[in-house]
């Protein structure tokens, strides 16, 4: 590469950072400094965590009886005390809880409906016991659409769920598939916030590389592209859809993927669709990941995420520290950590 091309490349990268209105304070923050930053948690900051998991003991026991894990990760031990410890250590006021992969549908519709109801009622009771500290995304029963609609109506109206969690794919069927449209219609009517969490790809993993390491990111990307390509964001405009882990590969590869999901085949049309998503920062707050996310996403569409307890306290706090060491303005920092989420969950204001 000659000097002129090198300077052009550097200018392009600088422009992307300027567009996002940010500049990393240190592109190579050490793990020690980042961990300490997370522990300090910026005095007075009250984060809203849109990517925090719950593993009710009866649910963990059920999965263990089937020999299941979460994309190569063991099912962690969860407790309300452990959650509050993580939150207090990292300046988190409220955690919006969700069940991770593999969800509750293991092949039997009736069993899935029972388990979803049990999980959602457990979450609702926890929210009542700890006012202001927890919310929850209701667990549904896809690919059982009728059961998913029934549980969505119950959780959103009776249990006062803050939204729903949907896996990116269920045994190879991805969000955006036409047969699941009746559920999206119901969720749109309720103006629901939908948290999209990755699952295992419908393919064998590469030997030695667990699904959570890379496949999860592609899984989320596939779901986002399918939802966008099928026009779901326009047909269901009152859905607010949060993509886990900064949207997988969406921000980084958006320009490449845009024409695939554009109604008119244009790059601009595809980018407009993809920018309608929300993105959380769970495990995605390194200076290089944040730079890509902030250069692509709408500033008001980024929320904080911890991924606890699948990311243990040390790991979660490390990424929180990276977020804290990033060169946000005061307004940007408050938006990512709190005010953007308040628009999705106004009851927490």
């Amino acid at each position: 590469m000659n000097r002129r091309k090198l300077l052009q490349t550097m200018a392009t990268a600088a422009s992307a950072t300027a567009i996002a209105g940010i500049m990393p304070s240190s592109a190579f923050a050490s793990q020690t400094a980042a961990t300490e930053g997370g522990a300090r948690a910026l005095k007075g900051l009250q984060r809203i965590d849109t990517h925090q998991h719950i593993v009710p003991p009866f649910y963990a026991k059920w999965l263990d009886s089937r020999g299941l894990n979460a994309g190569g990760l063991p099912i962690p031990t969860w407790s309300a005390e452990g959650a509050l410890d993580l939150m207090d250590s990292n300046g988190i006021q409220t955690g919006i809880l969700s069940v991770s992969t593999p969800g509750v549908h293991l092949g039997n519709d009736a069993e899935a409906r029972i388990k979803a109801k049990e999980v959602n009622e457990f979450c609702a009771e926890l929210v009542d016991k700890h006012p202001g500290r927890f919310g929850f995304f209701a667990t549904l029963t896809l690919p059982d659409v009728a059961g998913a609609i029934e549980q969505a109506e119950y959780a959103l109206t009776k249990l006062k769920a803050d939204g729903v969690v949907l896996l990116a794919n269920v045994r190879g069927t991805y969000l955006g598939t036409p047969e699941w449209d009746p559920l999206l219609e119901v969720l749109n009517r309720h103006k629901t916030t939908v948290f999209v969490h990755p699952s295992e790809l419908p393919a064998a993993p590469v030997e030695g590389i667990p699904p959570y390491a890379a496949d999860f990111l592609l899984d989320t990307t596939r779901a986002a592209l399918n939802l966008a390509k099928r026009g779901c964001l326009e047909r269901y405009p009152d859905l607010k859809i949060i993509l886990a882990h900064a949207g997988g590969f969406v921000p980084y590869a958006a320009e490449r993927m845009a024409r695939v999901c554009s109604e008119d085949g244009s790059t601009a049309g595809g980018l407009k669709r993809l920018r309608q998503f929300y993105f959380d920062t769970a495990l995605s707050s390194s200076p290089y990941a944040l730079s890509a996310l902030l250069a692509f996403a709408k500033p008001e569409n980024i929320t904080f995420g911890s991924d606890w307890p699948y990311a243990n306290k040390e790991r979660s706090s490390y990424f929180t520290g990276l977020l804290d060491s990033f060169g946000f303005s005061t307004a940007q920092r408050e938006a990512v950590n709190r005010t953007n989420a308040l628009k999705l969950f106004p009851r927490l204001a």
Side-chain angles (χ1 to χ4, degrees):
M1 182 181 290
N2 61 36
R3 184 173 184 273
R4 182 179 179 182
K5 289 184 177 179
L6 176 62
L7 290 174
Q8 288 175 336
T9 301
M10 293 171 66
T12 300
S15 296
T17 303
I19 289 170
I22 51 86
M23 183 63 68
S25 58
S26 171
F28 302 100
S30 70
Q31 179 162 336
T32 299
T35 303
E36 290 174 350
R40 287 194 299 271
L42 298 183
K43 184 178 181 181
L45 182 62
Q46 296 296 307
R47 308 183 212 263
I48 297 173
D49 185 354
T50 66
H51 188 151
Q52 186 180 141
H53 293 299
I54 186 167
V55 191
F58 65 86
Y59 173 70
K61 184 177 180 180
W62 181 60
L63 294 181
D64 185 62
S65 72
R66 306 297 180 90
L68 296 174
N69 59 37
L73 285 169
I75 304 300
T77 299
W78 176 92
S79 69
E81 293 75 21
L84 292 168
D85 174 64
L86 179 282
M87 292 162 66
D88 292 344
S89 298
N90 287 275
I92 300 169
Q93 175 182 307
T94 306
I96 310 298
L97 306 172
S98 59
V99 165
S100 184
T101 185
V104 296
H105 200 294
L106 306 183
N108 182 291
D109 287 356
E111 181 183 49
R113 294 184 185 193
I114 292 170
K115 199 60 61 177
K117 189 171 187 289
E118 290 176 349
V119 167
N120 292 333
E121 289 179 346
F122 181 92
C123 290
E125 290 176 8
L126 183 72
V127 172
D128 288 342
K129 289 179 182 177
H130 301 275
R133 300 310 307 272
F134 296 111
F136 78 102
F137 290 114
T139 298
L140 305 184
T141 61
L142 289 177
D144 170 21
V145 177
I149 290 173
E150 178 183 308
Q151 192 55 218
E153 293 279 12
Y154 174 65
L156 293 170
T157 59
K158 302 296 184 182
L159 301 182
K160 306 302 180 184
D162 294 286
V164 303
V165 56
L166 298 177
L167 296 179
N169 92 87
V170 182
R171 291 185 283 282
T173 299
Y174 275 85
L175 294 177
T177 190
E179 54 261 42
W180 293 353
D181 279 356
L183 172 63
L184 296 188
E185 291 171 5
V186 169
L187 297 179
N188 186 68
R189 176 164 52 80
H190 284 283
K191 303 183 187 316
T192 308
T193 297
V194 178
F195 175 48
V196 175
H197 193 278
S199 187
E200 296 189 29
L201 294 175
V206 177
E207 185 177 355
I209 301 178
Y212 70 83
D215 292 354
F216 272 20
L217 304 178
L218 177 57
D219 199 45
T220 301
T221 303
R222 283 180 168 188
L225 276 174
N226 204 40
L227 286 163
K229 179 179 176 62
R230 291 207 58 253
C232 293
L233 301 172
E234 289 80 21
R235 287 187 292 115
Y236 308 114
D238 290 323
L239 295 182
K240 285 80 66 180
I241 302 176
I242 305 173
L243 302 178
H245 305 298
F249 303 131
V250 170
Y252 181 79
E255 196 83 12
R256 175 183 178 128
M257 300 185 300
R259 289 188 296 174
V260 173
C261 65
S262 173
E263 184 176 20
D264 60 3
S266 69
T267 297
L271 290 175
K272 181 179 179 180
R273 281 184 162 179
L274 293 172
R275 284 194 171 107
Q276 293 181 61
F277 289 110
Y278 290 77
F279 305 82
D280 74 48
T281 65
L283 306 185
S284 304
S285 51
S286 66
Y288 24 94
L290 273 181
S291 293
L293 176 61
L294 289 164
F296 171 74
K298 294 179 181 179
E300 64 270 23
N301 283 21
I302 302 171
T303 63
F304 173 82
S306 72
D307 206 10
W308 188 87
Y310 289 89
N312 64 24
K313 183 179 179 181
E314 179 182 9
R315 185 73 168 157
S316 179
S317 297
Y318 165 63
F319 277 96
T320 299
L322 287 177
L323 186 74
D324 289 346
S325 66
F326 198 78
F328 293 111
S329 69
T330 299
Q332 290 163 345
R333 192 175 302 281
E334 291 178 352
V336 170
N337 282 291
R338 180 172 177 81
T339 56
N340 288 345
L342 285 177
K343 288 176 285 186
L344 302 175
F345 313 107
R347 74 172 184 85
L348 300 178

